[in-house]
Coordinates of all heavy atoms in Angstrom, one line a residue:
M71 N 25.9 236.1 62.8 CA 25.6 237.2 63.9 C 24.0 237.2 64.0 O 23.2 237.1 63.0 CB 26.0 238.6 63.2 CG 25.7 239.7 64.2 SD 26.3 241.2 63.4 CE 25.0 242.3 64.2
F72 N 23.6 237.3 65.2 CA 22.1 237.3 65.5 C 21.7 238.8 65.7 O 22.5 239.5 66.4 CB 21.8 236.6 66.8 CG 21.8 235.1 66.8 CD1 22.9 234.2 67.1 CD2 20.8 234.5 66.0 CE1 23.0 233.1 66.9 CE2 20.8 233.1 65.8 CZ 21.9 232.4 66.3
I73 N 20.4 239.1 65.2 CA 19.9 240.4 65.6 C 18.6 240.0 66.4 O 17.7 239.2 65.8 CB 19.6 241.3 64.3 CG1 20.9 241.5 63.6 CG2 18.8 242.5 64.8 CD1 20.9 242.3 62.3
I74 N 18.5 240.4 67.6 CA 17.3 240.1 68.2 C 16.3 241.3 68.3 O 16.7 242.4 68.8 CB 17.8 239.8 69.8 CG1 18.7 238.6 69.7 CG2 16.5 239.3 70.6 CD1 19.5 238.3 71.0
F75 N 15.1 241.1 67.8 CA 14.2 242.1 67.7 C 13.1 241.7 68.9 O 12.8 240.6 69.1 CB 13.4 242.2 66.5 CG 14.1 243.2 65.7 CD1 14.7 242.7 64.5 CD2 14.1 244.6 65.8 CE1 15.4 243.5 63.6 CE2 14.8 245.4 64.9 CZ 15.4 244.9 63.7
G76 N 12.5 242.7 69.6 CA 11.5 242.5 70.5 C 10.4 243.5 70.4 O 10.8 244.6 70.0
V77 N 9.2 243.2 70.7 CA 8.1 244.2 70.7 C 7.4 244.1 72.1 O 7.4 243.1 72.7 CB 7.1 244.1 69.6 CG1 7.7 244.6 68.2 CG2 6.5 242.7 69.5
G78 N 6.8 245.2 72.4 CA 6.0 245.1 73.6 C 6.6 245.6 74.8 O 6.2 245.2 75.9
N79 N 7.7 246.3 74.7 CA 8.5 246.8 75.9 C 7.7 248.1 76.3 O 7.7 249.1 75.5 CB 9.9 247.1 75.6 CG 10.6 245.9 75.5 OD1 11.1 245.3 76.7 ND2 10.9 245.3 74.3
K80 N 7.2 248.1 77.6 CA 6.5 249.2 78.1 C 7.4 250.1 79.0 O 8.0 249.5 79.8 CB 5.2 248.8 78.9 CG 3.9 249.2 78.2 CD 2.8 249.0 79.2 CE 1.6 249.8 78.5 NZ 1.2 249.2 77.3
K81 N 7.3 251.3 78.5 CA 8.0 252.4 79.4 C 7.0 253.3 80.0 O 6.1 253.8 79.1 CB 9.1 253.1 78.6 CG 10.4 252.5 78.6 CD 11.3 253.3 77.7 CE 12.7 253.6 78.2 NZ 13.4 254.4 77.2
E82 N 7.1 253.6 81.2 CA 6.1 254.6 81.8 C 6.8 255.8 82.5 O 7.7 255.7 83.1 CB 5.0 253.9 82.7 CG 3.8 254.6 82.7 CD 2.7 253.8 83.4 OE1 2.9 253.7 84.7 OE2 1.8 253.3 82.7
K83 N 6.3 256.9 82.1 CA 6.7 258.0 82.9 C 5.5 258.8 83.5 O 4.5 259.0 83.0 CB 7.3 259.1 81.6 CG 8.7 259.4 81.9 CD 9.3 260.1 80.7 CE 9.2 261.7 80.7 NZ 9.7 262.3 79.4
E84 N 5.7 259.1 84.6 CA 4.7 259.7 85.5 C 5.0 261.1 86.0 O 6.2 261.3 86.3 CB 4.3 258.8 86.7 CG 3.6 257.5 86.4 CD 3.4 256.7 87.6 OE1 4.1 256.9 88.6 OE2 2.6 255.8 87.5
K85 N 3.9 261.8 86.1 CA 4.1 263.2 86.8 C 3.0 263.4 87.6 O 1.8 263.2 87.2 CB 4.5 264.3 85.9 CG 3.6 264.5 84.7 CD 4.4 265.6 83.7 CE 3.5 265.9 82.6 NZ 4.1 266.9 81.8
Q86 N 3.2 264.1 88.6 CA 2.0 264.3 89.6 C 1.5 265.8 89.3 O 2.1 266.8 89.0 CB 2.6 264.5 91.1 CG 1.6 264.2 92.1 CD 2.3 264.1 93.5 OE1 3.0 264.9 93.8 NE2 2.1 263.0 94.2
S87 N 0.1 265.7 89.3 CA -0.6 266.8 89.0 C -0.5 267.8 90.1 O -0.4 267.5 91.4 CB -2.0 266.5 88.9 OG -2.9 267.6 88.9
H88 N -0.6 269.1 89.9 CA -0.4 270.1 90.8 C -1.9 270.4 91.5 O -1.9 270.7 92.6 CB 0.0 271.4 90.3 CG 1.3 271.3 89.7 ND1 2.5 271.1 90.4 CD2 1.8 271.4 88.3 CE1 3.4 271.0 89.5 NE2 3.0 271.2 88.2
K89 N -2.9 270.1 90.9 CA -4.2 270.3 91.5 C -4.7 269.1 92.2 O -4.4 267.9 91.7 CB -5.2 270.9 90.6 CG -5.4 270.1 89.3 CD -6.4 270.8 88.4 CE -6.7 269.6 87.4 NZ -7.6 270.1 86.2
M90 N -5.6 269.3 93.2 CA -6.2 268.1 93.9 C -7.4 267.7 93.1 O -8.1 268.4 92.5 CB -6.6 268.4 95.2 CG -5.5 269.1 96.1 SD -4.4 267.8 96.7 CE -5.2 267.3 98.2
E91 N -7.6 266.4 93.1 CA -8.5 265.7 92.3 C -9.2 264.7 93.3 O -8.8 264.0 94.1 CB -8.1 265.1 91.2 CG -9.0 264.7 90.0 CD -9.2 265.9 89.2 OE1 -8.2 266.5 88.7 OE2 -10.3 266.2 88.7
H92 N -10.6 264.8 93.2 CA -11.5 263.8 94.1 C -11.8 262.5 93.3 O -12.2 262.6 92.2 CB -12.7 264.5 94.5 CG -13.4 263.6 95.5 ND1 -13.0 263.4 96.7 CD2 -14.6 262.8 95.3 CE1 -13.8 262.7 97.3 NE2 -14.8 262.3 96.4
C93 N -11.5 261.5 93.9 CA -11.9 260.2 93.2 C -13.2 259.7 93.8 O -13.2 259.4 95.0 CB -10.6 259.3 93.6 SG -11.0 257.7 92.8
Y94 N -14.1 259.4 92.9 CA -15.4 258.9 93.3 C -15.4 257.5 93.8 O -16.4 256.9 94.2 CB -16.5 259.3 92.5 CG -16.7 260.7 92.3 CD1 -16.2 261.7 91.4 CD2 -17.5 261.3 93.3 CE1 -16.3 263.0 91.4 CE2 -17.7 262.9 93.3 CZ -17.1 263.5 92.4 OH -17.3 264.9 92.3
Y95 N -14.3 256.8 93.2 CA -14.2 255.4 93.4 C -13.7 254.9 94.8 O -14.4 254.1 95.6 CB -13.2 254.9 92.3 CG -13.6 253.5 92.0 CD1 -14.6 253.1 91.0 CD2 -12.8 252.5 92.5 CE1 -14.9 251.8 90.7 CE2 -13.0 251.2 92.1 CZ -14.1 250.9 91.2 OH -14.3 249.7 90.9
C96 N -12.6 255.5 95.3 CA -12.2 255.2 96.5 C -12.4 256.4 97.6 O -11.9 256.3 98.7 CB -10.7 254.9 96.5 SG -9.6 256.3 96.1
N97 N -13.0 257.5 97.1 CA -13.4 258.6 98.0 C -12.3 259.3 98.7 O -12.4 259.9 99.8 CB -14.4 258.1 98.9 CG -15.7 259.1 99.0 OD1 -15.7 259.9 98.2 ND2 -16.5 258.7 100.0
N98 N -11.2 259.3 97.9 CA -10.1 260.3 98.4 C -9.9 261.4 97.6 O -10.1 261.4 96.4 CB -8.8 259.3 98.4 CG -8.7 258.3 99.5 OD1 -8.7 258.7 100.7 ND2 -8.9 257.0 99.1
T99 N -9.3 262.4 98.3 CA -8.8 263.6 97.4 C -7.3 263.8 97.5 O -6.9 263.8 98.7 CB -9.6 264.9 97.9 OG1 -11.0 264.8 97.8 CG2 -9.2 266.0 97.2
T100 N -6.7 263.6 96.4 CA -5.3 263.7 96.4 C -4.7 264.3 95.1 O -5.6 264.5 94.2 CB -4.8 262.2 96.7 OG1 -3.4 262.2 96.7 CG2 -5.2 261.3 95.6
H101 N -3.5 264.2 94.9 CA -2.8 264.6 93.6 C -2.8 263.4 92.8 O -2.1 262.4 93.1 CB -1.4 265.1 93.9 CG -1.2 266.3 94.7 ND1 -1.6 267.6 94.1 CD2 -1.0 266.5 96.0 CE1 -1.5 268.6 95.1 NE2 -1.1 267.9 96.2
W102 N -3.4 263.4 91.7 CA -3.5 262.4 90.8 C -2.2 262.3 90.0 O -1.4 263.3 89.9 CB -4.7 262.5 89.8 CG -6.0 262.2 90.4 CD1 -6.2 262.0 91.8 CD2 -7.1 261.5 89.9 NE1 -7.5 261.6 92.1 CE2 -8.0 261.3 90.8 CE3 -7.5 261.3 88.4 CZ2 -9.4 260.8 90.5 CZ3 -8.7 260.8 88.2 CH2 -9.7 260.6 89.2
L103 N -2.1 261.2 89.2 CA -0.8 261.1 88.3 C -1.2 261.1 86.9 O -2.2 260.5 86.5 CB -0.1 259.7 88.7 CG 0.6 259.4 90.1 CD1 0.9 258.1 90.3 CD2 1.5 260.5 90.4
A104 N -0.4 261.8 86.2 CA -0.6 261.8 84.8 C 0.6 260.9 84.2 O 1.8 261.2 84.7 CB -0.4 263.3 84.2
A105 N 0.1 260.0 83.5 CA 1.2 259.0 83.0 C 1.2 258.9 81.6 O 0.3 258.8 81.0 CB 1.0 257.7 83.7
K106 N 2.4 258.8 81.1 CA 2.6 258.6 79.6 C 3.3 257.2 79.5 O 4.4 256.8 80.2 CB 3.6 259.6 79.2 CG 4.1 259.4 77.7 CD 5.1 260.3 77.2 CE 5.6 260.2 76.0 NZ 6.7 261.2 75.4
S107 N 2.6 256.3 78.8 CA 3.3 255.1 78.5 C 3.4 254.8 77.1 O 2.6 255.1 76.2 CB 2.4 253.8 79.3 OG 1.2 253.7 78.7
S108 N 4.6 254.2 76.8 CA 4.8 253.8 75.2 C 5.4 252.6 75.2 O 6.2 252.0 75.9 CB 5.8 254.9 74.8 OG 6.7 255.4 75.7
D109 N 5.0 251.8 74.1 CA 5.5 250.6 73.8 C 6.5 250.9 72.7 O 6.6 251.6 71.9 CB 4.4 249.7 73.1 CG 3.3 249.3 74.1 OD1 3.6 249.0 75.2 OD2 2.1 249.4 73.8
H110 N 7.7 250.0 73.0 CA 8.9 250.1 72.1 C 9.1 248.9 71.4 O 9.0 247.8 72.0 CB 10.0 250.6 73.0 CG 10.1 252.0 73.4 ND1 9.1 252.5 74.5 CD2 10.8 253.0 73.0 CE1 9.4 253.8 74.5 NE2 10.3 254.2 73.7
V111 N 9.8 249.1 70.3 CA 10.5 247.9 69.6 C 11.8 247.9 70.1 O 12.5 248.9 70.1 CB 10.4 248.1 68.0 CG1 11.1 247.0 67.4 CG2 8.9 248.3 67.5
S112 N 12.3 246.8 70.5 CA 13.6 246.7 71.1 C 14.5 246.0 70.1 O 14.2 245.0 69.5 CB 13.6 246.2 72.5 OG 13.3 244.9 72.5
L113 N 15.7 246.4 70.4 CA 16.9 245.7 69.6 C 18.0 245.4 70.6 O 18.4 246.2 71.3 CB 17.5 246.7 68.5 CG 18.4 246.3 67.5 CD1 17.9 245.0 66.7 CD2 18.9 247.3 66.7
F114 N 18.3 244.1 70.6 CA 19.2 243.6 71.7 C 18.7 244.0 73.1 O 19.4 244.5 74.0 CB 20.5 244.0 71.5 CG 21.2 243.5 70.3 CD1 21.4 244.3 69.1 CD2 21.4 242.1 70.2 CE1 21.9 243.8 68.0 CE2 22.0 241.6 68.9 CZ 22.2 242.4 68.0
F115 N 17.4 243.9 73.3 CA 16.7 244.3 74.6 C 16.8 245.7 75.0 O 16.6 246.1 76.1 CB 17.3 243.3 75.8 CG 17.2 241.9 75.4 CD1 18.5 241.3 75.1 CD2 16.0 241.2 75.4 CE1 18.3 239.9 74.6 CE2 15.9 239.8 75.0 CZ 17.1 239.3 74.8
I116 N 17.3 246.6 74.1 CA 17.1 248.0 74.3 C 16.0 248.7 73.6 O 16.0 248.5 72.4 CB 18.6 248.6 73.9 CG1 19.7 247.9 74.7 CG2 18.6 250.2 74.2 CD1 21.1 248.2 74.0
P117 N 15.2 249.2 74.3 CA 14.0 250.0 73.6 C 14.6 250.9 72.6 O 15.2 252.0 73.0 CB 13.2 250.5 74.6 CG 13.6 249.8 75.9 CD 15.0 249.5 75.6
V118 N 14.3 250.9 71.3 CA 14.6 251.9 70.4 C 13.5 252.7 69.7 O 13.7 253.9 69.5 CB 15.6 251.3 69.2 CG1 16.9 251.1 69.8 CG2 15.1 250.0 68.7
I119 N 12.5 252.1 69.2 CA 11.4 252.8 68.5 C 10.1 252.7 69.1 O 9.6 251.7 69.4 CB 11.3 252.1 67.1 CG1 12.7 251.9 66.4 CG2 10.3 253.0 66.3 CD1 12.7 250.9 65.3
P120 N 9.7 253.8 69.6 CA 8.3 253.9 70.2 C 7.3 253.8 69.1 O 7.4 254.4 68.1 CB 8.3 255.3 70.9 CG 9.2 256.0 70.1 CD 10.3 255.2 69.6
Y121 N 6.4 252.8 69.2 CA 5.2 252.7 68.3 C 3.9 252.9 68.7 O 3.1 253.1 67.9 CB 5.4 251.3 67.5 CG 5.1 250.2 68.3 CD1 3.8 249.6 68.4 CD2 6.0 249.5 69.2 CE1 3.4 248.5 69.3 CE2 5.7 248.5 69.9 CZ 4.5 247.9 69.9 OH 4.2 246.9 70.8
K122 N 3.7 253.0 70.0 CA 2.3 253.3 70.6 C 2.5 254.0 71.9 O 3.2 253.5 72.8 CB 1.7 252.0 70.7 CG 0.1 252.1 70.8 CD -0.6 250.6 70.9 CE -0.8 250.4 72.4 NZ -1.0 249.0 72.6
T123 N 2.0 255.1 71.9 CA 1.9 255.9 73.1 C 0.6 256.3 73.6 O -0.2 256.7 72.8 CB 2.7 257.3 72.8 OG1 4.1 256.9 72.3 CG2 3.1 258.0 74.1
S124 N 0.3 256.1 74.8 CA -0.9 256.5 75.4 C -0.7 257.1 76.6 O 0.3 257.1 77.3 CB -1.7 255.2 75.7 OG -1.2 254.4 76.7
Y125 N -1.6 258.1 76.9 CA -1.6 258.9 78.2 C -2.9 258.7 79.0 O -4.0 258.4 78.6 CB -1.6 260.4 77.7 CG -0.6 260.8 76.7 CD1 -0.7 260.5 75.5 CD2 0.7 261.3 77.3 CE1 0.4 260.9 74.6 CE2 1.6 261.6 76.3 CZ 1.6 261.3 75.1 OH 2.5 261.7 74.3
S126 N -2.6 258.5 80.3 CA -3.6 258.5 81.2 C -3.5 259.4 82.4 O -2.5 259.9 82.8 CB -3.8 257.0 81.7 OG -2.6 256.5 82.3
Y127 N -4.7 259.5 83.1 CA -4.7 260.5 84.3 C -5.3 259.5 85.4 O -6.5 259.2 85.0 CB -5.5 261.7 83.9 CG -5.5 262.7 85.0 CD1 -4.3 263.1 85.7 CD2 -6.8 263.4 85.4 CE1 -4.3 264.2 86.7 CE2 -6.8 264.3 86.3 CZ -5.7 264.7 87.0 OH -5.7 265.7 88.0
R128 N -4.7 259.4 86.5 CA -5.3 258.4 87.3 C -5.1 258.7 88.9 O -4.2 259.3 89.3 CB -5.0 256.9 87.1 CG -3.5 256.8 87.3 CD -3.2 255.2 87.2 NE -1.7 255.0 87.8 CZ -0.7 254.8 87.0 NH1 -0.8 254.8 85.6 NH2 0.5 254.6 87.5
C129 N -5.9 258.0 89.6 CA -5.8 258.1 91.1 C -4.7 257.2 91.5 O -4.6 256.0 91.3 CB -7.2 257.7 91.7 SG -7.1 257.5 93.3
P130 N -3.7 257.7 92.3 CA -2.5 256.9 92.8 C -3.0 255.7 93.9 O -2.2 254.9 94.0 CB -1.7 257.9 93.3 CG -2.5 259.1 93.8 CD -3.7 259.0 92.8
I131 N -4.2 256.0 94.3 CA -4.6 255.2 95.5 C -5.2 253.9 94.9 O -4.9 252.8 95.3 CB -5.6 255.8 96.4 CG1 -4.7 257.1 97.2 CG2 -6.1 254.8 97.7 CD1 -5.4 258.0 97.8
C132 N -6.2 254.0 94.1 CA -7.0 252.8 93.5 C -6.7 252.6 92.1 O -7.2 251.7 91.5 CB -8.4 253.1 93.8 SG -9.3 254.3 93.0
N133 N -6.0 253.5 91.5 CA -5.6 253.4 90.0 C -6.6 253.5 89.1 O -6.6 253.1 88.0 CB -4.7 251.9 89.9 CG -3.3 252.2 90.1 OD1 -2.8 253.3 89.8 ND2 -2.7 251.1 90.5
T134 N -7.7 254.2 89.6 CA -8.9 254.3 88.6 C -8.5 255.7 87.9 O -8.1 256.5 88.5 CB -10.2 254.6 89.3 OG1 -10.5 253.4 90.0 CG2 -11.3 254.9 88.5
G135 N -8.8 255.6 86.7 CA -8.6 256.8 85.9 C -9.1 256.9 84.6 O -10.0 256.1 84.3
R136 N -8.7 257.9 83.7 CA -9.2 257.9 82.4 C -8.1 258.3 81.4 O -7.0 258.7 81.8 CB -10.2 259.1 82.4 CG -9.8 260.3 82.8 CD -10.8 261.3 82.6 NE -10.6 262.7 83.4 CZ -9.8 263.6 82.8 NH1 -9.6 263.6 81.5 NH2 -9.5 264.7 83.5
K137 N -8.4 258.1 80.2 CA -7.4 258.3 79.2 C -7.4 259.9 78.9 O -8.5 260.4 78.9 CB -7.8 257.5 77.9 CG -7.6 256.0 77.9 CD -6.4 255.6 77.2 CE -6.0 254.1 77.5 NZ -5.0 253.7 78.1
I138 N -6.2 260.4 78.6 CA -6.2 261.7 78.2 C -5.4 261.9 77.0 O -4.8 261.0 76.5 CB -5.5 262.6 79.4 CG1 -4.2 262.1 79.7 CG2 -6.5 262.7 80.6 CD1 -3.4 263.0 80.8
T139 N -5.5 263.1 76.4 CA -4.8 263.3 75.1 C -3.3 263.8 75.6 O -3.0 264.2 76.7 CB -5.5 264.4 74.3 OG1 -5.4 265.6 75.0 CG2 -6.9 264.0 74.0
K140 N -2.5 263.9 74.5 CA -1.1 264.3 74.6 C -1.1 265.7 75.1 O -0.3 266.1 76.0 CB -0.4 264.3 73.4 CG 1.0 264.6 73.4 CD 1.6 264.3 72.1 CE 3.2 264.6 72.2 NZ 3.7 265.5 71.2
E141 N -2.1 266.5 74.6 CA -2.1 268.0 75.0 C -2.4 268.1 76.5 O -1.9 268.9 77.2 CB -3.2 268.8 74.1 CG -2.8 268.9 72.6 CD -2.8 267.7 71.9 OE1 -3.6 266.8 72.1 OE2 -1.9 267.6 71.0
E142 N -3.3 267.2 76.8 CA -3.8 267.4 78.4 C -2.6 267.0 79.2 O -2.5 267.7 80.2 CB -5.0 266.4 78.4 CG -6.4 266.9 78.1 CD -7.4 266.1 78.4 OE1 -7.6 265.0 77.6 OE2 -8.2 266.1 79.3
Y143 N -1.9 266.0 78.8 CA -0.8 265.4 79.5 C 0.3 266.5 79.6 O 0.8 266.8 80.8 CB -0.2 264.3 78.8 CG 1.1 263.7 79.5 CD1 1.0 262.9 80.7 CD2 2.3 264.1 78.9 CE1 2.3 262.5 81.3 CE2 3.5 263.6 79.6 CZ 3.4 262.9 80.6 OH 4.5 262.5 81.2
E144 N 0.5 267.2 78.6 CA 1.5 268.4 78.8 C 1.1 269.4 79.6 O 2.0 270.2 80.0 CB 1.8 268.8 77.3 CG 3.0 268.2 76.9 CD 3.1 267.7 75.3 OE1 2.5 268.4 74.5 OE2 3.8 266.6 75.1
Q145 N -0.1 269.6 79.9 CA -0.4 270.7 80.9 C -0.2 270.3 82.2 O -0.3 271.3 83.1 CB -2.1 270.9 80.7 CG -2.3 271.8 79.4 CD -3.8 271.8 79.0 OE1 -4.6 271.4 79.7 NE2 -4.0 272.1 77.8
F146 N 0.0 269.0 82.6 CA 0.1 268.7 83.9 C 1.4 269.0 84.4 O 2.4 269.0 83.6 CB -0.3 267.2 84.3 CG -1.7 267.0 84.2 CD1 -2.3 266.2 83.2 CD2 -2.6 267.5 85.1 CE1 -3.5 266.0 83.1 CE2 -3.9 267.2 85.0 CZ -4.3 266.4 84.1
Ligands
LIG266 ZN1 -9.2 256.4 93.9

């Protein structure tokens, strides 16, 4: 019997901010996206264990953004 492990599966969850944010990079004012992305260890190609989670807040037009904390992400 084979057991197939994999690492580095990325899953991303996005939510749109309620407030408008101005982007100095592309010069647009829009609702930015708060994204949570996590890397998973997968078993038989199904992601089972998250081992690294990062949060970011970015402009949906040019994708410029910054890293945020979990607490900040939860406020969006
Ligand atoms: Zn932008």
Side-chain angles (χ1 to χ4, degrees):
M71 185 185 144
F72 284 107
I73 297 177
I74 305 165
F75 275 109
V77 286
N79 284 277
K80 242 191 168 72
K81 266 178 138 185
E82 206 171 67
K83 238 167 91 179
E84 285 178 343
K85 49 185 180 181
Q86 203 173 54
S87 169
H88 299 295
K89 56 175 188 189
M90 301 291 271
E91 202 80 47
H92 183 75
C93 176
Y94 292 97
Y95 208 79
C96 64
N97 229 7
N98 284 291
T99 301
T100 182
H101 294 283
W102 281 27
L103 295 171
K106 174 189 180 179
S107 68
S108 35
D109 289 320
H110 284 74
V111 174
S112 65
L113 185 59
F114 296 108
F115 307 106
I116 302 160
V118 280
I119 312 157
Y121 67 92
K122 202 177 88 192
T123 306
S124 62
Y125 301 87
S126 62
Y127 185 49
R128 66 168 193 262
C129 168
I131 297 161
C132 66
N133 273 329
T134 295
R136 58 182 168 90
K137 292 253 176 253
I138 54 170
T139 62
K140 187 177 185 234
E141 288 71 33
E142 283 179 284
Y143 173 79
E144 258 138 39
Q145 284 165 17
F146 288 114

